[in-house]
Amino acid sequence: MPAENERRQRLLQLATGAVFLAIVAVAVLIVVNSTGNGGDTNLEGKGEVKRLLKGIPQHEMDLGSLKAPVELVEFGDLQCPVCRSYSEHVLPPIIETKVRQGQVRIDFHNYVIIGKQSTSAGAAALAAGEQGRGWNYVELFYRNQGEENSGYADDEFLKAVAEGAGVKDIARWQKERKELESNVLGTSGDAQSLGFEGTPSFVILGPNISGGFERLSAPDPGALEEAIEEAVEKAS
Amino acid sequence: MSSPNKFPSEWTLRRLIAFVAALGVGVATYIAIADSGGGAPACIAGGSGFQTVADSSYSHLLGVNVAVFGIVGYLLLLASAFLTSDAARFGGFVVALGGFGFSVYLTYIEVFKIEAICQWCVASAVLMTILFLLNATRLIGYAGAEGELAADAG
């Protein structure tokens, strides 16, 4: 039995080591996540956002000509990873064609889903919109989005995005973003009134649309593109 | 070596491990399928904790749905239950320990980061906790034993 005992002791020692390693690994993962990735002000995608939006008129949170016959209202949460995916992959082709050609304009409305920092982030975007940089703010935020509710969207991050988005008067932006938080809550209420349960959700308004508007609650990308195409055809 | 008599027989532990691991395979498979085919992705307000968790950026690791890691882990635990060597005892313990640690981390993420509870994920965490306890008992009770020690009569 000595060999058996020796093997047993060795296995139990290894198991104790494994438990210790597991505790350390879990603790490190939790600490890394609780500190978040805030403070990273090396923004990515500035050039990409600038190229995407260059030459397209912006008015508050509207992107595109105010005379465009079709209006696409987007209800989004700046912390929502699915909204980021839409921003990076679904909306750019629409912006580059229908918005740039003056057929569609997109109006970004905040719908707070994820957490408290979504409200301050949304208000920061609205304040950038007061200076004609709302869409630069939204697009640049999405391209630098961190993990949900990890605390990354702090004042330092919001200011870095404002500067990266080209907001000229930062002092005015700082003042107005506080005042605009109630607006964020207001549009969130609108989204709930429309029956939207998630983000991104959309409303399409345009001539000859049955009932005046079409609502798309968290649609898949194909359904959104098809609905916009139909709205443009009805308007032409 | 301490007497195995104070522990359930290894035969009993192995069958319990196999049963719970099989349940785990089912739960993790359901999560993986529901996540991949659950309609258009969206960030959901309240209510559907599962969808909120599934659509969060934490639901994938290195581009792979974490439920897939769960399926692999449960299958390894199931396989370990069919073997009686020290390698199977220790391997089962290490896999269950890893799964239990990862479940603790994911539960923390659900409660404090995503702020949504996915009931199927909780079910999986409970199963993995049970498997960790069963495999720890098996290792402590039977490490070093040749083959399978006999039965409940002990």
Side-chain angles (χ1 to χ4, degrees):
Chain A
M1 298 294 274
E4 197 175 292
N5 271 338
E6 197 179 313
R7 199 164 68 233
R8 172 181 168 73
Q9 289 308 318
R10 203 174 59 246
L11 281 172
L12 292 181
Q13 280 171 359
L14 280 172
T16 307
V19 169
F20 177 73
L21 278 177
I23 291 171
V24 170
V26 171
V28 167
L29 276 173
I30 289 176
V31 168
V32 165
N33 270 286
S34 63
T35 52
N37 51 0
D40 179 9
T41 51
N42 297 316
L43 299 177
E44 292 178 4
K46 276 198 254 187
E48 190 189 337
V49 170
K50 206 171 170 182
R51 277 192 297 278
L52 177 68
L53 303 176
K54 191 177 178 185
I56 303 177
Q58 291 188 48
H59 178 259
E60 295 182 345
M61 295 309 291
D62 278 302
L63 177 71
S65 169
L66 292 178
K67 293 177 184 167
V70 174
E71 180 181 3
L72 175 68
V73 181
E74 176 188 359
F75 287 90
D77 182 318
L78 290 178
Q79 284 204 89
C80 165
V82 183
C83 299
R84 182 195 65 212
S85 177
Y86 263 72
S87 163
E88 289 178 343
H89 306 295
V90 180
L91 292 183
I94 297 167
I95 292 171
E96 281 160 9
T97 55
K98 303 217 162 18
V99 173
R100 197 170 280 286
Q101 291 159 5
Q103 296 171 312
V104 175
R105 77 171 191 271
I106 311 179
D107 188 6
F108 181 86
H109 285 200
N110 288 287
Y111 181 13
V112 174
I113 293 283
I114 305 289
K116 286 178 190 168
Q117 286 193 332
S118 302
T119 304
S120 50
L126 297 184
E130 295 295 310
Q131 298 185 43
R133 292 286 173 171
W135 270 82
N136 298 70
Y137 196 98
V138 168
E139 293 292 319
L140 193 57
F141 191 108
Y142 279 138
R143 279 159 182 74
N144 292 276
Q145 191 186 68
E147 304 283 7
E148 301 101 306
N149 292 335
S150 63
Y152 72 96
D154 56 12
D155 287 348
E156 187 187 355
F157 178 81
L158 298 182
K159 185 179 172 215
V161 176
E163 288 168 346
V167 173
K168 293 225 164 31
D169 188 343
I170 291 292
R172 179 186 158 201
W173 171 82
Q174 290 280 26
K175 179 175 173 287
E176 289 180 339
R177 75 186 180 97
K178 301 287 180 194
E179 297 165 359
L180 288 164
E181 287 197 0
S182 58
N183 187 312
V184 173
L185 300 176
T187 50
S188 296
D190 294 342
Q192 285 171 341
S193 303
L194 284 161
F196 292 145
E197 294 177 345
T199 56
S201 285
F202 299 88
V203 171
I204 301 177
L205 300 105
N208 305 318
I209 292 179
S210 172
F213 69 92
E214 182 177 0
R215 55 182 287 288
L216 298 154
S217 185
D220 63 54
L224 176 67
E225 286 158 9
E226 200 176 307
I228 292 171
E229 197 66 53
E230 271 181 36
V232 169
E233 276 175 24
K234 283 178 182 170
S236 58
Chain B
M1 149 178 190
S2 63
S3 166
N5 290 351
K6 61 187 174 185
F7 297 102
S9 75
E10 191 172 20
W11 186 92
T12 305
L13 288 170
R14 285 173 52 217
R15 270 142 193 82
L16 282 172
I17 289 167
F19 176 70
V20 179
L23 284 180
V25 170
V27 169
T29 304
Y30 171 79
I31 294 172
I33 291 171
D35 184 22
S36 63
C43 297
I44 302 295
S48 172
F50 175 82
Q51 197 62 39
T52 305
V53 173
D55 289 329
S56 84
S57 55
Y58 295 100
S59 67
H60 288 69
L61 192 63
L62 305 173
V64 178
N65 189 326
V66 293
V68 173
F69 291 105
I71 295 171
V72 172
Y74 285 119
L75 286 173
L76 288 172
L77 288 167
L78 190 59
S80 77
F82 286 95
L83 303 168
T84 56
S85 64
D86 270 342
R89 294 177 189 122
F90 186 70
F93 172 78
V94 168
V95 172
L97 173 65
F100 173 65
F102 198 54
S103 295
V104 170
Y105 165 70
L106 291 177
T107 304
Y108 162 80
I109 291 294
E110 279 183 67
V111 173
F112 293 103
K113 295 293 174 185
I114 306 171
E115 296 178 359
I117 293 289
C118 149
Q119 290 169 348
W120 287 96
C121 310
V122 172
S124 177
V126 169
L127 292 177
M128 198 52 96
T129 304
I130 295 169
L131 283 167
F132 171 62
L133 295 173
L134 289 171
N135 277 281
T137 306
R138 184 186 181 197
L139 184 72
I140 293 167
Y142 300 97
E146 290 292 344
E148 182 174 358
L149 287 183
D152 300 282

